[in-house]
Amino acid sequence: MTTQTTTPEDILQTAQALRWEVGSDFHEHLMESMYTEAARIADRAITRPEKKPRFDLDRTIDRLVTSRAFGFPLMLALLTLVFWLTIAGANVPSRWLSWLLLDTLQPILKGFGVTIGLPWWINGLLFDGMYLATAWVISVMLPPMAIFFPLFTLLEDYGYLPRVAFNLDNMFQKVGAHGKQALSMTMGFGCNAAGVVATRVIDSPRERLIAIITNNFALCNGRWPTQILIATLFIGGLVPAHLAGLLSAMSVVAIAVLGVLFSFLVSWGLSRTVLRGEVSTFSLELPPYRPPRIWQTIYTSVIDRTLIVLWRAIIFALPAGAIIWLSANITFGGISIAEYLINFLNPAGLLLGLNGVILVAYIVAIPANEIVIPTVLMLTVLVTGASGVGAGAGVMFELQSNAEMTALFQAGGWTLLTAVNLMLFSLLHNPCSTTIYTIYKETRSLKWTLISTLLPVFMGLAVTFFVAQVWRLIAGVL
Amino acid sequence: MTEQTLPKPTSTAAPCETCPVHNAAHLLKLGVDMGDADFVVALAGNPNTGKSTVFNALTGLRQHTGNWPGKTVTRAEGGFEYGNSRYKIVDLPGTYSLLATSLDEEIARDFILFGQPDVSVVVVDATRLERNLNLVLQVMEITNRVVVCLNLMDEVRRHKLTVDDRRLARDLGVPVVPTAARYGDGMDLLLQAIHDVASGATMGKPYRVRYESPALKHAVEQLVTQIEALYPNLPNARWVALRLLDGDEKIAEALQKGELGDLSHGDLAQRAAQMQVIGNQ
């Protein structure tokens, strides 16, 4: 037998030898001929209409929304509209939900606990702590999300988001980041964890890291309710009622825009220092506008985004509610753990134009940003000892009207400065634990995870401190 | 006389079950349940051509689809049952090529190559045919078992174009199914085409681009002879030869480890293990 057996090594050796014969540019020629073939086959299959349509709607819209003059104003106007619809539309259903879950169901549940003879502390822990925290999260978060997400998804499905990326691309390039960061940042407006995963579209590791670290500056869904509520109470309260909604919406947009600016600033800083390197170019395809299928979009965005995010919030709200209740009810020498903490952090909080209550709330709310506001409210009642509101120490509650809430905050020593700085701090602080975990999974690096976590906190502390000092200086002069 | 009796009602069942219309009506969307799949289907395509929409239509899952290139960055998997066979379908990240220059391209290429799906469906934006065909041609270099899903036919009509899917099928040498996945149009035909290719009822003869300088031709022929001697059933010896000439480390490694060879006659369990390995990377 003369059959010669071939081994993989033989093949590799032959290939190695033959590579010298064929030269190194054959691959380009192959690709070139493939492109030519693709063009030829496509051309044979397609018939174009005889007459070119005179008016191309897509192109006209594109020229408008990506134009130098109108691109950004249109973008801001559209965002403001979305937030205004969210703020204005969420009010009524929020009130229904809180009436149902808090005013009606909660006393029934608690009464039931008493009837079956639960010890007071189990009853309190279950229904004043865990149930109320969860119910609060649902009634505050569900309506705005159920409005915001479908609107955002409609914009996305229609094809507007890539235009936003197109508008922002140039600026990202200038600060040394990848243009596609505009896409992951836009995703971050929904959820930072999703935004961090979305950075996978960026090939260069350097630019991908920049995108991951700065994604937290895109105001995520868990923080929208905080922004919207504080803006409604304090900023909207500055003007007559008919303008309040618009002004609140605009101030939320201002915070969102500020986040984008911070994103640029930090990207710039990183690409000049620890993450230096070349900017890679890429081509961004503007997809055609496609009329979205409205009902389907609303259905999937409610199911996929709203309920998933809400579910996550509930999972975190349950234990957080328990912790808050316990910290407010376990006392040493007549003072609860929560009060100790608040008093301890109060001086630092005041220095930052915030207060101890807000700092404690942010520590409690590391797992989920959504519960910041309920915690703040509850703790404020605890320290002011306000009577007649809520249902006692350590109980989260919903106040009947915004006016009542404002009154409570003022009793707790809140000013416009506190509100503004709370909005700023909500923008600039560590990502939630889910996002931190996602960052670790994506980077596989403890160092970068730590940087992504701590950098925003330090920036938040610095910015609020600075704002507080300037504010007080000006207020002192006036 | 008695032989002329009417056929019994039960005897009509057999032809009925083989009829495509019957099958389409019995598409079973299995969602994420894809245990004991008989066939594996890969879903490839350029970004933003509606792969995820096709995926959702077949599996009944609701992976979010967006009008946004680069929406799917990871692999999504789902299952469906059609014509008494269970299918596992894998939604690959959208790519413009299979040159594996970035992570998503590598994921897509590795799956089509090492995952050896029974059918690779390439979803194509019919309004941007030229650019999309580049990927089709590249996928056809790797595998014979290709179905082209000519998607977004609704957009083609809106732009007043016509796309001749039959001519395209003839030119490419693989089944071409025009669809408008967002409205579910053509999904029954797509399923039938997938089924035909998976079961071997249709055997594509993909058109392969032949650019060869005399030196390259000689080199490729020499390598292909050797590769086919080692792995007689390899469907893409020429492509492997070209990759080796290009110095592709990953393909060289796969050749050494016998991964290419194993798969040319591997069974499903082995393949599943392979995919797990790729998935973990």
Side-chain angles (χ1 to χ4, degrees), chain A residues 236-276:
Chain A
L238 295 175
V239 291
H242 63 279
L243 289 173
L246 189 65
L247 187 70
S248 317
M250 280 166 68
S251 62
V252 176
V253 171
I255 292 285
V257 169
L258 194 67
V260 176
L261 293 180
F262 273 114
S263 200
F264 286 137
L265 187 72
V266 173
S267 301
W268 180 81
L270 287 171
S271 69
R272 290 286 175 296
T273 53
V274 278
L275 290 169
R276 229 182 310 230

mmCIF file of all heavy atoms in Angstrom, chain A residues 236-276:
data_model
loop_
_atom_site.group_PDB
_atom_site.id
_atom_site.type_symbol
_atom_site.label_atom_id
_atom_site.label_comp_id
_atom_site.label_asym_id
_atom_site.label_seq_id
_atom_site.Cartn_x
_atom_site.Cartn_y
_atom_site.Cartn_z
ATOM 1 N N GLY A 236 -40.800 72.872 40.739
ATOM 2 C CA GLY A 236 -42.125 73.202 40.220
ATOM 3 C C GLY A 236 -42.846 74.162 41.155
ATOM 4 O O GLY A 236 -43.648 74.986 40.729
ATOM 5 N N GLY A 237 -42.544 74.051 42.457
ATOM 6 C CA GLY A 237 -43.188 74.912 43.441
ATOM 7 C C GLY A 237 -42.787 76.368 43.341
ATOM 8 O O GLY A 237 -43.415 77.232 43.958
ATOM 9 N N LEU A 238 -41.733 76.655 42.565
ATOM 10 C CA LEU A 238 -41.255 78.036 42.462
ATOM 11 C C LEU A 238 -42.127 78.888 41.561
ATOM 12 O O LEU A 238 -42.086 80.109 41.613
ATOM 13 C CB LEU A 238 -39.827 78.061 41.915
ATOM 14 C CG LEU A 238 -38.740 77.430 42.801
ATOM 15 C CD1 LEU A 238 -37.409 77.419 42.060
ATOM 16 C CD2 LEU A 238 -38.619 78.192 44.113
ATOM 17 N N VAL A 239 -42.883 78.231 40.671
ATOM 18 C CA VAL A 239 -43.653 78.982 39.684
ATOM 19 C C VAL A 239 -45.127 78.655 39.818
ATOM 20 O O VAL A 239 -45.492 77.679 40.471
ATOM 21 C CB VAL A 239 -43.170 78.646 38.248
ATOM 22 C CG1 VAL A 239 -41.782 79.185 38.010
ATOM 23 C CG2 VAL A 239 -43.233 77.152 37.998
ATOM 24 N N PRO A 240 -45.990 79.455 39.174
ATOM 25 C CA PRO A 240 -47.432 79.168 39.216
ATOM 26 C C PRO A 240 -47.748 77.769 38.693
ATOM 27 O O PRO A 240 -46.996 77.211 37.888
ATOM 28 C CB PRO A 240 -48.031 80.224 38.285
ATOM 29 C CG PRO A 240 -47.014 81.311 38.208
ATOM 30 C CD PRO A 240 -45.689 80.707 38.489
ATOM 31 N N ALA A 241 -48.866 77.230 39.142
ATOM 32 C CA ALA A 241 -49.211 75.826 38.897
ATOM 33 C C ALA A 241 -49.188 75.441 37.424
ATOM 34 O O ALA A 241 -48.752 74.345 37.085
ATOM 35 C CB ALA A 241 -50.584 75.534 39.490
ATOM 36 N N HIS A 242 -49.654 76.325 36.537
ATOM 37 C CA HIS A 242 -49.767 75.898 35.143
ATOM 38 C C HIS A 242 -48.394 75.764 34.472
ATOM 39 O O HIS A 242 -48.271 75.136 33.439
ATOM 40 C CB HIS A 242 -50.683 76.837 34.345
ATOM 41 C CG HIS A 242 -50.161 78.247 34.270
ATOM 42 N ND1 HIS A 242 -50.320 79.159 35.287
ATOM 43 C CD2 HIS A 242 -49.484 78.880 33.290
ATOM 44 C CE1 HIS A 242 -49.747 80.304 34.929
ATOM 45 N NE2 HIS A 242 -49.248 80.150 33.742
ATOM 46 N N LEU A 243 -47.369 76.372 35.067
ATOM 47 C CA LEU A 243 -46.026 76.243 34.499
ATOM 48 C C LEU A 243 -45.206 75.166 35.206
ATOM 49 O O LEU A 243 -44.131 74.792 34.750
ATOM 50 C CB LEU A 243 -45.289 77.578 34.602
ATOM 51 C CG LEU A 243 -45.779 78.688 33.676
ATOM 52 C CD1 LEU A 243 -45.064 79.988 34.005
ATOM 53 C CD2 LEU A 243 -45.563 78.309 32.223
ATOM 54 N N ALA A 244 -45.732 74.691 36.353
ATOM 55 C CA ALA A 244 -44.928 73.826 37.212
ATOM 56 C C ALA A 244 -44.463 72.570 36.480
ATOM 57 O O ALA A 244 -43.284 72.201 36.559
ATOM 58 C CB ALA A 244 -45.740 73.444 38.454
ATOM 59 N N GLY A 245 -45.386 71.910 35.735
ATOM 60 C CA GLY A 245 -45.039 70.668 35.049
ATOM 61 C C GLY A 245 -43.906 70.866 34.067
ATOM 62 O O GLY A 245 -42.948 70.099 34.027
ATOM 63 N N LEU A 246 -44.013 71.951 33.286
ATOM 64 C CA LEU A 246 -43.010 72.215 32.270
ATOM 65 C C LEU A 246 -41.650 72.496 32.901
ATOM 66 O O LEU A 246 -40.623 71.952 32.494
ATOM 67 C CB LEU A 246 -43.454 73.394 31.405
ATOM 68 C CG LEU A 246 -42.592 73.642 30.169
ATOM 69 C CD1 LEU A 246 -42.696 72.464 29.215
ATOM 70 C CD2 LEU A 246 -43.015 74.925 29.477
ATOM 71 N N LEU A 247 -41.664 73.332 33.937
ATOM 72 C CA LEU A 247 -40.396 73.691 34.575
ATOM 73 C C LEU A 247 -39.752 72.463 35.228
ATOM 74 O O LEU A 247 -38.534 72.263 35.124
ATOM 75 C CB LEU A 247 -40.605 74.791 35.624
ATOM 76 C CG LEU A 247 -39.291 75.334 36.199
ATOM 77 C CD1 LEU A 247 -38.526 76.144 35.170
ATOM 78 C CD2 LEU A 247 -39.530 76.165 37.447
ATOM 79 N N SER A 248 -40.587 71.632 35.869
ATOM 80 C CA SER A 248 -40.048 70.411 36.464
ATOM 81 C C SER A 248 -39.402 69.543 35.397
ATOM 82 O O SER A 248 -38.284 69.048 35.569
ATOM 83 C CB SER A 248 -41.141 69.601 37.150
ATOM 84 O OG SER A 248 -41.987 70.432 37.876
ATOM 85 N N ALA A 249 -40.125 69.369 34.279
ATOM 86 C CA ALA A 249 -39.593 68.549 33.190
ATOM 87 C C ALA A 249 -38.269 69.111 32.699
ATOM 88 O O ALA A 249 -37.304 68.384 32.478
ATOM 89 C CB ALA A 249 -40.592 68.462 32.048
ATOM 90 N N MET A 250 -38.224 70.445 32.571
ATOM 91 C CA MET A 250 -36.996 71.052 32.060
ATOM 92 C C MET A 250 -35.836 70.884 33.036
ATOM 93 O O MET A 250 -34.694 70.686 32.622
ATOM 94 C CB MET A 250 -37.232 72.527 31.742
ATOM 95 C CG MET A 250 -37.928 72.698 30.398
ATOM 96 S SD MET A 250 -38.583 74.342 30.137
ATOM 97 C CE MET A 250 -37.100 75.280 30.011
ATOM 98 N N SER A 251 -36.139 70.955 34.338
ATOM 99 C CA SER A 251 -35.037 70.802 35.281
ATOM 100 C C SER A 251 -34.519 69.359 35.276
ATOM 101 O O SER A 251 -33.332 69.123 35.442
ATOM 102 C CB SER A 251 -35.463 71.223 36.691
ATOM 103 O OG SER A 251 -36.496 70.400 37.147
ATOM 104 N N VAL A 252 -35.428 68.392 35.058
ATOM 105 C CA VAL A 252 -34.967 67.010 34.951
ATOM 106 C C VAL A 252 -34.094 66.848 33.708
ATOM 107 O O VAL A 252 -33.046 66.204 33.748
ATOM 108 C CB VAL A 252 -36.163 66.029 34.915
ATOM 109 C CG1 VAL A 252 -35.677 64.612 34.702
ATOM 110 C CG2 VAL A 252 -36.952 66.108 36.204
ATOM 111 N N VAL A 253 -34.531 67.453 32.600
ATOM 112 C CA VAL A 253 -33.724 67.397 31.384
ATOM 113 C C VAL A 253 -32.356 68.032 31.633
ATOM 114 O O VAL A 253 -31.326 67.526 31.194
ATOM 115 C CB VAL A 253 -34.437 68.094 30.208
ATOM 116 C CG1 VAL A 253 -33.507 68.232 29.020
ATOM 117 C CG2 VAL A 253 -35.675 67.309 29.814
ATOM 118 N N ALA A 254 -32.356 69.136 32.388
ATOM 119 C CA ALA A 254 -31.084 69.813 32.675
ATOM 120 C C ALA A 254 -30.143 68.869 33.418
ATOM 121 O O ALA A 254 -28.947 68.806 33.114
ATOM 122 C CB ALA A 254 -31.336 71.072 33.494
ATOM 123 N N ILE A 255 -30.678 68.132 34.382
ATOM 124 C CA ILE A 255 -29.834 67.176 35.110
ATOM 125 C C ILE A 255 -29.322 66.093 34.168
ATOM 126 O O ILE A 255 -28.142 65.719 34.195
ATOM 127 C CB ILE A 255 -30.627 66.529 36.273
ATOM 128 C CG1 ILE A 255 -30.944 67.560 37.356
ATOM 129 C CG2 ILE A 255 -29.863 65.361 36.878
ATOM 130 C CD1 ILE A 255 -29.773 67.938 38.236
ATOM 131 N N ALA A 256 -30.209 65.607 33.282
ATOM 132 C CA ALA A 256 -29.804 64.574 32.324
ATOM 133 C C ALA A 256 -28.693 65.093 31.413
ATOM 134 O O ALA A 256 -27.704 64.400 31.150
ATOM 135 C CB ALA A 256 -31.001 64.104 31.511
ATOM 136 N N VAL A 257 -28.853 66.339 30.954
ATOM 137 C CA VAL A 257 -27.844 66.944 30.077
ATOM 138 C C VAL A 257 -26.532 67.114 30.839
ATOM 139 O O VAL A 257 -25.442 66.863 30.315
ATOM 140 C CB VAL A 257 -28.339 68.295 29.528
ATOM 141 C CG1 VAL A 257 -27.214 69.049 28.834
ATOM 142 C CG2 VAL A 257 -29.496 68.065 28.575
ATOM 143 N N LEU A 258 -26.651 67.514 32.109
ATOM 144 C CA LEU A 258 -25.466 67.652 32.943
ATOM 145 C C LEU A 258 -24.738 66.311 33.028
ATOM 146 O O LEU A 258 -23.502 66.253 32.951
ATOM 147 C CB LEU A 258 -25.883 68.108 34.340
ATOM 148 C CG LEU A 258 -24.756 68.622 35.229
ATOM 149 C CD1 LEU A 258 -24.201 69.906 34.683
ATOM 150 C CD2 LEU A 258 -25.273 68.828 36.649
ATOM 151 N N GLY A 259 -25.508 65.234 33.150
ATOM 152 C CA GLY A 259 -24.919 63.897 33.179
ATOM 153 C C GLY A 259 -24.129 63.618 31.910
ATOM 154 O O GLY A 259 -23.013 63.088 31.964
ATOM 155 N N VAL A 260 -24.701 64.015 30.769
ATOM 156 C CA VAL A 260 -24.000 63.810 29.498
ATOM 157 C C VAL A 260 -22.703 64.612 29.486
ATOM 158 O O VAL A 260 -21.657 64.127 29.056
ATOM 159 C CB VAL A 260 -24.916 64.207 28.319
ATOM 160 C CG1 VAL A 260 -24.163 64.103 27.000
ATOM 161 C CG2 VAL A 260 -26.151 63.327 28.286
ATOM 162 N N LEU A 261 -22.782 65.837 30.011
ATOM 163 C CA LEU A 261 -21.574 66.671 30.049
ATOM 164 C C LEU A 261 -20.500 66.031 30.931
ATOM 165 O O LEU A 261 -19.320 66.018 30.578
ATOM 166 C CB LEU A 261 -21.906 68.082 30.552
ATOM 167 C CG LEU A 261 -22.783 68.912 29.617
ATOM 168 C CD1 LEU A 261 -23.042 70.298 30.208
ATOM 169 C CD2 LEU A 261 -22.131 69.048 28.240
ATOM 170 N N PHE A 262 -20.932 65.489 32.080
ATOM 171 C CA PHE A 262 -19.970 64.795 32.941
ATOM 172 C C PHE A 262 -19.367 63.598 32.228
ATOM 173 O O PHE A 262 -18.189 63.289 32.374
ATOM 174 C CB PHE A 262 -20.629 64.360 34.251
ATOM 175 C CG PHE A 262 -20.589 65.416 35.300
ATOM 176 C CD1 PHE A 262 -21.753 66.024 35.756
ATOM 177 C CD2 PHE A 262 -19.373 65.821 35.838
ATOM 178 C CE1 PHE A 262 -21.718 67.017 36.708
ATOM 179 C CE2 PHE A 262 -19.334 66.810 36.793
ATOM 180 C CZ PHE A 262 -20.513 67.416 37.229
ATOM 181 N N SER A 263 -20.212 62.943 31.444
ATOM 182 C CA SER A 263 -19.750 61.804 30.666
ATOM 183 C C SER A 263 -18.615 62.233 29.730
ATOM 184 O O SER A 263 -17.592 61.559 29.625
ATOM 185 C CB SER A 263 -20.936 61.271 29.880
ATOM 186 O OG SER A 263 -20.728 59.977 29.485
ATOM 187 N N PHE A 264 -18.815 63.371 29.063
ATOM 188 C CA PHE A 264 -17.767 63.902 28.184
ATOM 189 C C PHE A 264 -16.517 64.229 28.977
ATOM 190 O O PHE A 264 -15.398 63.879 28.605
ATOM 191 C CB PHE A 264 -18.247 65.185 27.483
ATOM 192 C CG PHE A 264 -19.238 64.935 26.395
ATOM 193 C CD1 PHE A 264 -20.350 65.735 26.258
ATOM 194 C CD2 PHE A 264 -19.051 63.901 25.498
ATOM 195 C CE1 PHE A 264 -21.265 65.516 25.250
ATOM 196 C CE2 PHE A 264 -19.964 63.662 24.489
ATOM 197 C CZ PHE A 264 -21.075 64.475 24.367
ATOM 198 N N LEU A 265 -16.736 64.930 30.103
ATOM 199 C CA LEU A 265 -15.615 65.413 30.901
ATOM 200 C C LEU A 265 -14.756 64.244 31.384
ATOM 201 O O LEU A 265 -13.524 64.252 31.240
ATOM 202 C CB LEU A 265 -16.164 66.195 32.099
ATOM 203 C CG LEU A 265 -15.127 66.906 32.958
ATOM 204 C CD1 LEU A 265 -14.575 68.100 32.224
ATOM 205 C CD2 LEU A 265 -15.735 67.314 34.291
ATOM 206 N N VAL A 266 -15.414 63.225 31.933
ATOM 207 C CA VAL A 266 -14.675 62.093 32.476
ATOM 208 C C VAL A 266 -14.005 61.303 31.353
ATOM 209 O O VAL A 266 -12.858 60.875 31.483
ATOM 210 C CB VAL A 266 -15.600 61.195 33.324
ATOM 211 C CG1 VAL A 266 -14.898 59.932 33.756
ATOM 212 C CG2 VAL A 266 -16.105 61.955 34.540
ATOM 213 N N SER A 267 -14.723 61.132 30.233
ATOM 214 C CA SER A 267 -14.115 60.452 29.085
ATOM 215 C C SER A 267 -12.855 61.181 28.655
ATOM 216 O O SER A 267 -11.816 60.573 28.385
ATOM 217 C CB SER A 267 -15.081 60.425 27.893
ATOM 218 O OG SER A 267 -16.270 59.781 28.231
ATOM 219 N N TRP A 268 -12.963 62.477 28.605
ATOM 220 C CA TRP A 268 -11.825 63.301 28.205
ATOM 221 C C TRP A 268 -10.664 63.094 29.183
ATOM 222 O O TRP A 268 -9.526 62.846 28.782
ATOM 223 C CB TRP A 268 -12.243 64.773 28.176
ATOM 224 C CG TRP A 268 -11.152 65.711 27.770
ATOM 225 C CD1 TRP A 268 -10.739 65.979 26.496
ATOM 226 C CD2 TRP A 268 -10.336 66.491 28.641
ATOM 227 N NE1 TRP A 268 -9.709 66.883 26.531
ATOM 228 C CE2 TRP A 268 -9.442 67.215 27.816
ATOM 229 C CE3 TRP A 268 -10.271 66.660 30.021
ATOM 230 C CZ2 TRP A 268 -8.489 68.081 28.348
ATOM 231 C CZ3 TRP A 268 -9.335 67.519 30.550
ATOM 232 C CH2 TRP A 268 -8.450 68.223 29.721
ATOM 233 N N GLY A 269 -10.993 63.174 30.477
ATOM 234 C CA GLY A 269 -9.961 63.006 31.499
ATOM 235 C C GLY A 269 -9.296 61.642 31.405
ATOM 236 O O GLY A 269 -8.067 61.534 31.434
ATOM 237 N N LEU A 270 -10.108 60.605 31.267
ATOM 238 C CA LEU A 270 -9.554 59.251 31.210
ATOM 239 C C LEU A 270 -8.694 59.057 29.976
ATOM 240 O O LEU A 270 -7.612 58.470 30.036
ATOM 241 C CB LEU A 270 -10.688 58.223 31.207
ATOM 242 C CG LEU A 270 -11.429 58.015 32.522
ATOM 243 C CD1 LEU A 270 -12.645 57.145 32.301
ATOM 244 C CD2 LEU A 270 -10.513 57.389 33.549
ATOM 245 N N SER A 271 -9.156 59.578 28.832
ATOM 246 C CA SER A 271 -8.412 59.334 27.597
ATOM 247 C C SER A 271 -7.142 60.190 27.523
ATOM 248 O O SER A 271 -6.296 59.962 26.673
ATOM 249 C CB SER A 271 -9.294 59.596 26.374
ATOM 250 O OG SER A 271 -9.554 60.976 26.263
ATOM 251 N N ARG A 272 -7.040 61.156 28.435
ATOM 252 C CA ARG A 272 -5.795 61.933 28.480
ATOM 253 C C ARG A 272 -4.819 61.372 29.507
ATOM 254 O O ARG A 272 -3.669 61.737 29.529
ATOM 255 C CB ARG A 272 -6.093 63.392 28.849
ATOM 256 C CG ARG A 272 -6.811 64.187 27.806
ATOM 257 C CD ARG A 272 -5.918 64.567 26.646
ATOM 258 N NE ARG A 272 -6.647 65.230 25.580
ATOM 259 C CZ ARG A 272 -7.605 64.675 24.840
ATOM 260 N NH1 ARG A 272 -7.980 63.444 25.068
ATOM 261 N NH2 ARG A 272 -8.192 65.345 23.884
ATOM 262 N N THR A 273 -5.330 60.537 30.426
ATOM 263 C CA THR A 273 -4.458 60.077 31.507
ATOM 264 C C THR A 273 -4.253 58.560 31.474
ATOM 265 O O THR A 273 -3.394 58.058 30.759
ATOM 266 C CB THR A 273 -5.041 60.489 32.871
ATOM 267 O OG1 THR A 273 -6.385 60.037 32.937
ATOM 268 C CG2 THR A 273 -5.006 61.989 33.046
ATOM 269 N N VAL A 274 -5.090 57.841 32.233
ATOM 270 C CA VAL A 274 -4.829 56.410 32.385
ATOM 271 C C VAL A 274 -5.201 55.584 31.161
ATOM 272 O O VAL A 274 -4.695 54.492 30.967
ATOM 273 C CB VAL A 274 -5.578 55.836 33.618
ATOM 274 C CG1 VAL A 274 -4.810 56.102 34.873
ATOM 275 C CG2 VAL A 274 -6.986 56.385 33.697
ATOM 276 N N LEU A 275 -6.109 56.090 30.329
ATOM 277 C CA LEU A 275 -6.546 55.296 29.178
ATOM 278 C C LEU A 275 -6.214 56.022 27.877
ATOM 279 O O LEU A 275 -7.075 56.268 27.040
ATOM 280 C CB LEU A 275 -8.053 55.017 29.269
ATOM 281 C CG LEU A 275 -8.461 54.049 30.368
ATOM 282 C CD1 LEU A 275 -9.962 54.024 30.559
ATOM 283 C CD2 LEU A 275 -7.960 52.653 30.053
ATOM 284 N N ARG A 276 -4.938 56.341 27.738
ATOM 285 C CA ARG A 276 -4.523 57.077 26.563
ATOM 286 C C ARG A 276 -4.504 56.164 25.341
ATOM 287 O O ARG A 276 -4.223 54.972 25.458
ATOM 288 C CB ARG A 276 -3.127 57.636 26.786
ATOM 289 C CG ARG A 276 -3.021 59.096 26.435
ATOM 290 C CD ARG A 276 -1.615 59.548 26.632
ATOM 291 N NE ARG A 276 -1.137 59.137 27.963
ATOM 292 C CZ ARG A 276 -0.555 59.968 28.815
ATOM 293 N NH1 ARG A 276 -0.390 61.209 28.504
ATOM 294 N NH2 ARG A 276 -0.114 59.533 29.976
#
